[in-house]
Amino acid sequence: MKKALVCGGGGFIGGHLIKRLKAEGYWVAGVDLKENEYGNNQADYFLVGDLRDPKVCEKIITSDLDEIYQLAADMGGAGFVFTGENDADIMHNSALCNLNVLDEARKKGVKRIFYSSSACMYPEYNQLDPENPKCSEDSAYPAAPDSEYGWEKLFSERLFFTYHRNCGMEVRVARFHNIFGPQGTWHGGREKAPAAISRKVAVAKDGDTIEVWGDGKQTRSFLFVDECVDGVRRLMDSDFIGPVNIGSDEMISINDFTKMVIDISGKNLSIKNIDGPLGVRGRNSDNDLIQQKLGWAPSQPLRKGMEITYAWVKEQAEKAGL
Ligand code: NAD
């Protein structure tokens, strides 16, 4: 039986990844600052611990592990990463997790380790035109991410590749593009657009107005979490080290995205565009490389994933009495 550790296993994607690894027959350990808030924890062993502390890494990273998935990061949506207020925490906390986990894995002789980078590491100058963003893997340099979150991801990608070159470790690096789905953060300030817009629509009454940050013409693509986990597992089982995009190439403007959620809800709502933290003007996953290397592409349209996600967020909002 293969043994895996999911760092950040109490988080959104971590919880889904643990579930997937269990379904594949793995023995799975998880570690996180917190337990999964929505009970999505099927790990055989789970440690609540802080990966900034090398002693926690020493305890949880054992030499019998076949694989480590390093997902732990101090992160959130635009309201967390683009205000500038959390930059020191984002850089310090995430870099420390990556430095500690990777070095402990080397010491224990764990051969294969996955790292979740982000599309936020792509240069802003290629994402100014909402209709034509460029996010192919080879467009990363000259580097110019628009957030410290993106800079830290770029640093850590490079860190992982140095351990590959100098220490013989099998690293796998993916750049996630806006992952969404049930059991993700949906309120509190760290939620990302799909959950935030679902919540706003879920609590609204017919005739209400939904506030959307920016002019709504900014574009993005969103990938359903099960598809993301599938891409991660394919990459891990392949001999391709990356970096590779794991995202959807179904690009949509934020106003059209909001209209889609309103339509799913069946409510009669209008949109009001207001000032807010934004990020780049346009972003879309370029899936040529992943298609070529892993034969992977998203299997379902955005709307299908959003129907599931909207229903889940609505249920959470109702339970919370919103
Ligand atoms: P998440 O916030 O739900 O998960 C991250 C987890 O890391 C959290 O549970 C958090 O408690 C944990 N963590 C943070 N600091 C820690 C520490 N010091 N010690 C132990 N655990 C710690 O976010 P997610 O959406 O599941 O993202 C997982 C990974 O994917 C992150 O690295 C994130 O940067 C990356 N990513 C996510 C997206 C997305 O759209 N969700 C996009 C690009 C990249």
Side-chain angles (χ1 to χ4, degrees):
M1 188 191 270
K2 272 193 167 180
K3 288 189 156 190
L5 168 67
V6 179
C7 301
F12 164 51
I13 303 171
H16 286 275
L17 179 60
I18 291 173
K19 189 162 80 185
R20 167 71 184 252
L21 290 166
K22 285 303 300 168
E24 287 187 42
Y26 277 71
W27 181 92
V28 189
V31 58
D32 201 297
L33 287 172
K34 57 169 178 63
E35 292 261 4
N36 187 280
E37 285 161 71
Y38 310 107
N40 191 17
N41 182 6
Q42 297 185 13
D44 296 285
Y45 173 72
F46 193 89
L47 178 71
V48 174
D50 188 338
L51 293 165
R52 290 170 299 182
D53 179 353
K55 290 209 169 59
V56 170
C57 296
E58 217 178 292
K59 181 173 175 193
I60 193 73
I61 298 175
T62 48
S63 53
D64 57 347
L65 287 170
D66 297 292
E67 296 173 358
I68 297 178
Y69 295 82
Q70 178 10 30
L71 274 65
D74 201 357
M75 64 91 65
F80 184 73
V81 298
F82 295 127
T83 59
E85 285 163 20
N86 306 299
D87 288 349
D89 280 347
I90 289 171
M91 283 218 147
H92 177 263
N93 295 340
S94 299
L96 266 187
C97 290
N98 288 318
L99 289 160
N100 288 345
V101 167
L102 189 54
D103 202 53
E104 192 61 32
R106 177 189 62 79
K107 285 185 197 153
K108 298 282 170 56
V110 180
K111 279 275 173 300
R112 198 163 277 221
I113 183 162
F114 171 85
Y115 174 58
S116 54
S117 181
S118 164
C120 288
M121 49 60 62
Y122 282 115
E124 185 179 19
Y125 57 76
N126 279 334
Q127 302 171 87
L128 299 174
D129 175 0
E131 298 306 318
N132 273 306
K134 182 174 178 186
C135 292
S136 54
E137 288 80 352
D138 60 2
S139 69
Y141 298 97
D146 70 334
S147 65
E148 301 301 348
Y149 171 74
W151 277 105
E152 191 283 325
K153 287 292 187 192
L154 194 56
F155 161 76
S156 291
E157 282 189 6
R158 299 189 67 99
L159 174 73
F160 274 73
F161 288 125
T162 60
Y163 274 65
H164 171 68
R165 289 199 303 274
N166 296 165
C167 313
M169 290 176 73
E170 287 282 346
V171 306
R172 298 288 179 270
V173 176
R175 295 169 178 163
F176 292 166
H177 288 243
N178 286 318
I179 313 304
F180 73 97
Q183 284 132 5
T185 307
W186 63 278
H187 67 147
R190 287 187 186 234
E191 63 278 20
K192 305 186 89 180
I197 291 169
S198 294
R199 186 197 66 235
K200 289 178 186 182
V201 170
V203 302
K205 292 183 284 302
D206 273 335
D208 281 358
T209 298
I210 301 297
E211 290 188 340
V212 173
W213 290 347
D215 64 7
K217 292 182 184 138
Q218 67 272 33
T219 54
R220 291 292 185 275
S221 67
F222 303 96
L223 183 71
F224 192 61
V225 64
D226 290 353
E227 311 243 33
C228 168
V229 166
D230 193 55
V232 170
R233 287 291 305 117
R234 280 208 204 193
L235 178 62
M236 202 60 163
D237 284 350
S238 79
D239 55 12
F240 182 50
I241 64 172
V244 68
N245 292 328
I246 295 186
S248 158
D249 50 8
E250 185 184 337
M251 191 170 82
I252 187 168
S253 76
I254 294 298
N255 273 358
D256 284 347
F257 178 71
T258 307
K259 284 179 200 156
M260 177 191 284
V261 180
I262 292 172
D263 192 53
I264 290 170
S265 76
K267 296 182 184 180
N268 178 19
L269 306 171
S270 51
I271 294 173
K272 184 182 175 201
N273 292 105
I274 59 161
D275 280 346
L278 286 175
V280 294
R281 284 299 291 158
R283 177 170 289 155
N284 194 15
S285 183
D286 182 320
N287 285 355
D288 287 353
L289 187 65
I290 195 163
Q291 179 74 56
Q292 180 201 326
K293 295 283 184 188
L294 307 179
W296 181 92
S299 66
Q300 65 181 29
L302 173 62
R303 186 173 174 115
K304 194 156 177 219
M306 277 314 297
E307 284 169 0
I308 297 167
T309 306
Y310 175 75
W312 183 82
V313 172
K314 183 167 173 273
E315 194 188 322
Q316 302 309 305
E318 280 164 7
K319 274 190 206 158
L322 296 181

